[in-house]
C-alpha cells in the first residue's frame, strides 16, 4: 500500500476546471484551446463529485481528510495519483494505492472513495462484496459499472465525458448524493429502474 500527495496537482486541477468552465460557458471556443486530456477531465469531475456526497457523520468526523483508494491500474489511475484534490472540508483528498483485495479488506474502514482500475475489473464482484454496507463511494471507468452494483462510472457520450449514478448502491452504502448532480448524469439507477438524468 502506497500513499501519495502531489505538490503541483492543485495548479493542474485549477487549470482543468477553469478550462471546462470557460468552454461550457462559451467564453472560449473549443478550437481555441488545446483540449485537456480525457483522464484529466475525469479526475477533475471526480474532484467535483465528492463535494456533493455526504458520508455518515460517524464515518467522516468533522475536519477529517477524505481518502481515495485506488485498486487496479489504468491510465486514469496516474492522474488520480498525481492530483492533490481539494475537498470541501479544506484538506486534500489523499490517495492510497491498494495492491490487492487483502489490502482493500484491511483498509476499507479508512477509505471514503474507491476507484477500481481496469486491471481489477475481473475482481469486481469480490470488491463489491468486501465493501457491502460500507460507506465507500465506488467509481470506475467502465460504462457498465453501475449495472454491476457500482455507484458511479464515467462514460463518453459523443465528444463529452459524462457519468452514470446508481443511487440504490449509494443508499446501501449509507451515502447521500446531492440531487444537484442528477441533471448532469447520463443515466441514474433508482429503485431498480434505470432512467435518464434530469
Amino acid at each position: 500500500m502506497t500513499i501519495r500527495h502531489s505538490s503541483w496537482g492543485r495548479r493542474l486541477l485549477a487549470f482543468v476546471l477553469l478550462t471546462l468552465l470557460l468552454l461550457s460557458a462559451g467564453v472560449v471556443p473549443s478550437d481555441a484551446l488545446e483540449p485537456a486530456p480525457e483522464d484529466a477531465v475525469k479526475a477533475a469531475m471526480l474532484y467535483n463529485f465528492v463535494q456533493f456526497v455526504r458520508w455518515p457523520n460517524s464515518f467522516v468526523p468533522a475536519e477529517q481528510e477524505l481518502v481515495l483508494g485506488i485498486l487496479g491500474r489504468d491510465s486514469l489511475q496516474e492522474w488520480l495519483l498525481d492530483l492533490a484534490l481539494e475537498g470541501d472540508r479544506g484538506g486534500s483528498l489523499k490517495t492510497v494505492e491498494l495492491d490487492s483485495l487483502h489490502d482493500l479488506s484491511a483498509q476499507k474502514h479508512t477509505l471514503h472513495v474507491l476507484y477500481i482500475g481496469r486491471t481489477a475489473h475481473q475482481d469486481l464482484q469480490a470488491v463489491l462484496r468486501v465493501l457491502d454496507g460500507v460507506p465507500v463511494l465506488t467509481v470506475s471507468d467502465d460504462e457498465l459499472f453501475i449495472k454491476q452494483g457500482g455507484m458511479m462510472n464515467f462514460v463518453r457520450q459523443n465528444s463529452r465525458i459524462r457519468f452514470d449514478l446508481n443511487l440504490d448502491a449509494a443508499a446501501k452504502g449509507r451515502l447521500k448524493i446531492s440531487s444537484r448532480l442528477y441533471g448532469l448524469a447520463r443515466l441514474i439507477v433508482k429503485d431498480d429502474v434505470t432512467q435518464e438524468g434530469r
Side-chain angles (χ1 to χ4, degrees):
M1 181 181 70
T2 306
I3 299 176
R4 288 176 54 177
H5 295 274
S6 169
S7 59
W8 56 268
R10 289 190 194 112
R11 291 191 300 274
L12 177 59
L13 180 62
F15 168 77
V16 170
L17 291 176
L18 179 61
T19 300
L20 292 174
L21 179 63
L22 292 175
L23 289 173
S24 65
V27 175
V28 179
S30 59
D31 58 357
L33 291 174
E34 185 72 24
E38 183 173 311
D39 290 329
V41 174
K42 292 174 183 176
M45 288 174 69
L46 181 56
Y47 156 77
N48 279 302
F49 191 89
V50 299
Q51 298 184 61
F52 293 93
V53 178
R54 293 294 170 261
W55 284 262
N57 288 338
S58 60
F59 199 68
V60 187
E63 307 303 323
Q64 180 175 323
E65 187 174 45
L66 295 180
V67 179
L68 165 67
I70 301 175
L71 179 67
R73 303 290 179 262
D74 62 26
S75 57
L76 179 55
Q77 170 228 3
E78 288 304 316
W79 283 92
L80 294 174
L81 286 172
D82 288 339
L83 286 175
L85 303 179
E86 285 294 324
D88 64 343
R89 296 166 186 275
S92 64
L93 184 67
K94 180 170 64 176
T95 55
V96 179
E97 291 184 86
L98 304 169
D99 296 323
S100 65
L101 284 172
H102 177 75
D103 274 357
L104 175 61
S105 184
Q107 297 294 321
K108 65 182 180 181
H109 293 295
T110 65
L111 302 177
H112 303 100
V113 184
L114 177 69
Y115 175 73
I116 305 166
R118 292 191 181 279
T119 62
H121 285 181
Q122 71 275 9
D123 297 322
L124 179 60
Q125 292 307 312
V127 168
L128 295 177
R129 280 195 299 271
V130 167
L131 296 177
D132 187 33
V134 180
V136 173
L137 177 69
T138 54
V139 183
S140 176
D141 199 22
D142 185 331
E143 67 179 81
L144 298 177
F145 187 55
I146 64 161
K147 296 178 181 177
Q148 299 168 318
M151 297 180 192
M152 174 190 177
N153 61 249
F154 295 109
V155 61
R156 173 181 280 278
Q157 186 177 48
N158 300 321
S159 60
R160 296 176 59 199
I161 303 300
R162 299 189 67 188
F163 59 86
D164 300 331
L165 297 174
N166 186 329
L167 300 180
D168 294 341
K172 188 176 181 182
R174 296 174 286 138
L175 300 180
K176 294 181 180 179
I177 297 176
S178 172
S179 59
R180 293 169 64 185
L181 290 176
Y182 297 178
L184 301 175
R186 183 190 66 144
L187 297 176
I188 296 173
V189 176
K190 185 175 183 181
D191 299 327
D192 291 322
V193 176
T194 302
Q195 55 193 342
E196 292 186 2
R198 293 178 187 166

